């Protein structure tokens, strides 16, 4: 049996004074799955993503990603974990506006100690794969939202992470650009990339994932296998 990419066991997290943001959540994600995390605002989706990303720690329970006990990592361990095991994509892209597209994409590799030559080669390869190579020397500010999100995806994939995490990746995009990102995630998953995407966008959840986990009040209310359908047939 292959090792799960994500294994959460009875994870609880409560912020000061509030009700539990997550209550005894257990979740297993296997290699090659594409999982949508859906649910109303305030239900605990971002909390869940932050725990998986090692940006926060549970009060109780364990978080294991690709064999790493993320809930036990210290600061430097958690930085190393984020560089090597996960790639993250955000609603507002989080690109560095003072760096070119190519330098944004290469940055995670440079931070991980990859040599310039190798990082450049990998950058070119990713920009070509994602269809944004003509923008390599542009600054992100000159690109459309959809193009910026492609750059963010390229950056997230730079260090070949076993897990790609996305938090509302279409939240700042128009419908066409959102569909484009959905297609991109579908293609990456078809090549074997494990993906977890938090989204309000049901069309995205249905088009690019094969499993939907619905969170309500900090608990998993539903965990359903779905069949990915082509984006054109969804909207
Ligand atoms: N840093 C924080 N401090 C206090 N409460 C928080 C914090 N982050 C989230 N919460 C609370 O935890 C609950 C879950 O939030 P969150 O995970 O952000 O939900 P979602 O991403 O589904 O909108 C909400 O009640 C929210 O107000
Ligand atoms: Mg959120």
């Amino acid at each position: 049996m292959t090792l799960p990419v994500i294994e959460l066991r009875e994870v609880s997290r409560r912020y000061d004074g509030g009700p539990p943001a997550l209550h005894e959540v257990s979740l297993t994600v296997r290699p090659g799955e594409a999982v949508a995390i859906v649910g109303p605002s305030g239900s605990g989706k971002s909390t869940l993503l932050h725990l998986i990303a090692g940006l926060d720690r549970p009060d109780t329970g364990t978080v294991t990603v690709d064999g790493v006990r993320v809930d036990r990592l210290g600061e430097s361990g958690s930085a190393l974990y984020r560089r090597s095991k996960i790639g993250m994509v955000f609603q507002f892209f989080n690109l560095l506006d003072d760096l070119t597209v190519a330098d944004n994409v290469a940055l995670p590799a440079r931070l991980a100690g990859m040599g310039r030559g190798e990082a450049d080669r990998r950058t070119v390869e990713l920009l070509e794969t994602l269809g944004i190579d003509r923008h390599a020397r542009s600054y992100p500010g000159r690109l459309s939202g959809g193009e910026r999100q492609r750059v963010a995806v390229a950056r997230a994939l730079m260090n070949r992470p076993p897990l790609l995490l996305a938090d509302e990746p279409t939240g700042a995009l128009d419908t066409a650009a959102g569909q484009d990102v959905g297609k991109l995630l579908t293609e990456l998953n078809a090549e074997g990339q494990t993906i977890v995407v938090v989204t309000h966008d049901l069309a995205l959840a249905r088009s690019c994932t094969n499993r939907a986990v619905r969170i309500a009040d900090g608990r998993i209310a539903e965990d359903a296998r779905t069949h990915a359908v082509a984006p054109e047939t969804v909207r």
Side-chain angles (χ1 to χ4, degrees):
M1 190 95 158
T2 50
L3 197 71
V5 177
I6 301 175
E7 176 97 77
L8 266 69
R9 288 220 182 117
E10 310 213 337
V11 167
S12 294
R13 178 74 171 98
R14 176 195 291 266
Y15 297 103
D16 288 342
L22 285 180
H23 185 73
E24 293 179 1
V25 167
S26 295
L27 177 71
T28 302
V29 176
R30 303 210 169 270
E33 281 195 289
V35 182
I37 309 282
V38 299
S41 181
S43 57
K45 304 182 298 295
S46 292
T47 301
L48 181 67
L49 210 68
H50 291 163
L51 293 172
I52 294 169
L55 295 165
D56 188 17
R57 282 180 177 224
D59 300 321
T60 56
T62 63
V63 178
T64 309
V65 176
D66 200 43
V68 176
R69 270 293 294 275
V70 179
D71 57 289
R72 283 191 182 153
L73 294 173
E75 228 169 84
S76 64
S78 130
L80 176 63
Y81 161 74
R82 278 197 295 281
R83 276 206 304 271
S84 56
K85 299 289 191 186
I86 61 173
M88 284 200 83
V89 177
F90 305 90
Q91 180 172 0
F92 295 108
F93 326 120
N94 293 16
L95 298 169
L96 297 174
D97 290 330
D98 298 341
L99 296 184
T100 63
V101 162
D103 286 341
N104 266 283
V105 173
L107 192 60
R110 300 291 291 153
L111 291 173
M114 190 187 284
R116 179 104 225 177
E118 199 187 342
D120 285 350
R121 277 194 295 280
R122 170 96 179 124
T123 299
V124 169
E125 178 189 304
L126 277 167
L127 293 177
E128 282 174 0
T129 307
L130 297 190
I132 42 175
D133 42 317
R134 68 184 182 286
H135 298 301
R137 289 166 193 281
S138 309
Y139 288 85
R142 307 195 58 109
L143 273 53
S144 71
E147 289 164 345
R148 280 188 234 190
Q149 200 57 302
R150 284 191 166 247
V151 175
V153 171
R155 179 182 59 182
L157 296 174
M158 186 71 200
N159 292 338
R160 297 187 169 85
L163 177 61
L164 181 66
L165 295 175
D167 197 352
E168 297 286 0
T170 62
L173 302 178
D174 61 38
T175 304
Q179 284 185 357
D180 186 49
V181 167
K183 265 188 209 164
L184 174 57
L185 295 179
T186 307
E187 286 162 18
L188 292 171
N189 179 245
E191 285 158 24
Q193 179 71 52
T194 308
I195 298 173
V196 172
V197 52
V198 165
T199 186
H200 272 95
D201 181 348
L202 288 182
L204 177 75
R206 284 154 67 194
S207 71
C208 79
T209 68
N210 38 55
R211 181 176 167 195
V213 174
R214 192 164 57 81
I215 311 267
D217 298 328
R219 298 165 197 257
I220 293 182
E222 191 182 358
D223 185 345
R225 290 206 176 271
T226 55
H227 289 285
V229 288
E232 303 83 78
T233 62
V234 175
R235 301 202 200 224

